[in-house]
Amino acid sequence: MDNHYSQKQQPNFESRPLNKFTIPTWISLLIVAIAALLAITFILRATYWTVEPVSIEFPKKSLTDTSNWQTYRNDKYGFEVRYPEYWRKQQLTGNTVLELITEFLPEGGDPAYVFGDHLTISIEKNVEKLTLKELVDLEKRNFGYIFGVEKYGSLDSYKSFEGRVNNIGMSTLYKVLIIKDDQIFDISYEYFYEESLERFNQILSTFKFIE
């Protein structure tokens, strides 16, 4: 009797070529879209968001010739100072006794965007009998001023402090503090361009106390 055995089919171990890895079409399109978006963003930033330096012509005469300057005199507090004729007085607030402002418009610029220098002279009573150094330390604590440049000297024979504040934003603030008798004189000058500091120094040179 013949025995018939069913033979199991053996697996085929012949080598088969491996399929190459392919990126789905939608992923390829997504990568291309992201790359295009980044390129467009870069172009827009370079075209519209780049701030070009503005060249401003300052009145040259004011820096050398003071013959037409105005004189402000305050008999109550005993001082006077001169300033360029094109500067405008502002409405006073608080302890401010003089506030001046001037504006510069770049040639061909938009009148909505002007650059100005701002000068104020404030006076208050030295109630706590502070020394000049104590006053400077108090300014640093109360207002958080960080003076990048500071020096002690004299203004019209009275001891003074001069300091340039670095942490107020786009503009720069230069402060001069003087203690005369029982009064504190605070002369503050806010400006945008280093050329303006020369103007302030010239204004400061005209400041004097009067009897």
Side-chain angles (χ1 to χ4, degrees), residues 68-171:
N68 292 327
W69 281 24
Q70 303 293 321
T71 299
Y72 171 82
R73 181 184 176 96
N74 191 308
D75 292 318
K76 178 179 179 180
Y77 294 107
F79 77 94
E80 70 176 32
V81 65
R82 303 189 68 198
Y83 59 92
E85 69 278 6
Y86 52 85
W87 284 43
R88 295 183 286 107
K89 289 184 179 180
Q90 300 296 294
Q91 186 175 357
L92 303 179
T93 58
N95 297 321
T96 302
V97 296
L98 177 64
E99 183 171 357
L100 300 168
I101 190 170
T102 182
E103 296 177 342
F104 299 99
L105 176 64
E107 184 177 355
D110 187 343
Y113 300 96
V114 295
F115 301 86
D117 298 341
H118 188 200
L119 171 69
T120 61
I121 298 179
S122 302
I123 302 172
E124 61 180 298
K125 197 172 184 64
N126 188 6
V127 178
E128 299 180 13
K129 307 298 182 183
L130 299 171
T131 66
L132 190 58
K133 187 178 186 312
E134 290 172 340
L135 175 62
V136 172
D137 291 339
L138 186 64
E139 291 271 323
K140 292 178 180 179
R141 290 197 304 270
N142 288 353
F143 300 101
Y145 289 148
I146 299 176
F147 291 104
V149 175
E150 57 180 86
K151 64 179 180 178
Y152 288 87
S154 64
L155 182 61
D156 196 23
S157 74
Y158 284 88
K159 291 182 179 180
S160 65
F161 167 85
E162 295 185 27
R164 180 161 58 188
V165 183
N166 289 346
N167 56 329
I168 64 168
M170 293 180 60
S171 61

Side-chain angles (χ1 to χ4, degrees), residues 153-203:
S154 64
L155 182 61
D156 196 23
S157 74
Y158 284 88
K159 291 182 179 180
S160 65
F161 167 85
E162 295 185 27
R164 180 161 58 188
V165 183
N166 289 346
N167 56 329
I168 64 168
M170 293 180 60
S171 61
T172 302
L173 177 66
Y174 201 96
K175 291 184 72 70
V176 178
L177 300 172
I178 309 165
I179 295 180
K180 179 181 181 292
D181 302 329
D182 62 344
Q183 303 289 344
I184 296 173
F185 287 73
D186 182 332
I187 306 174
S188 296
Y189 188 66
E190 186 178 357
Y191 61 97
F192 288 87
Y193 296 91
E194 286 301 312
E195 292 90 337
S196 297
L197 189 56
E198 182 181 350
R199 180 180 295 103
F200 173 62
N201 287 330
Q202 196 171 16
I203 293 173

Side-chain angles (χ1 to χ4, degrees), residues 27-68:
I27 293 181
S28 300
L29 293 176
L30 181 61
I31 293 174
V32 172
I34 292 175
L37 182 60
L38 292 174
I40 293 173
T41 302
F42 177 80
I43 294 173
L44 288 176
R45 286 179 63 91
T47 304
Y48 298 103
W49 297 344
T50 301
V51 178
E52 296 293 336
V54 178
S55 177
I56 295 178
E57 286 293 327
F58 293 96
K60 300 297 183 183
K61 184 178 179 181
S62 299
L63 296 177
T64 55
D65 182 9
T66 63
S67 59
N68 292 327

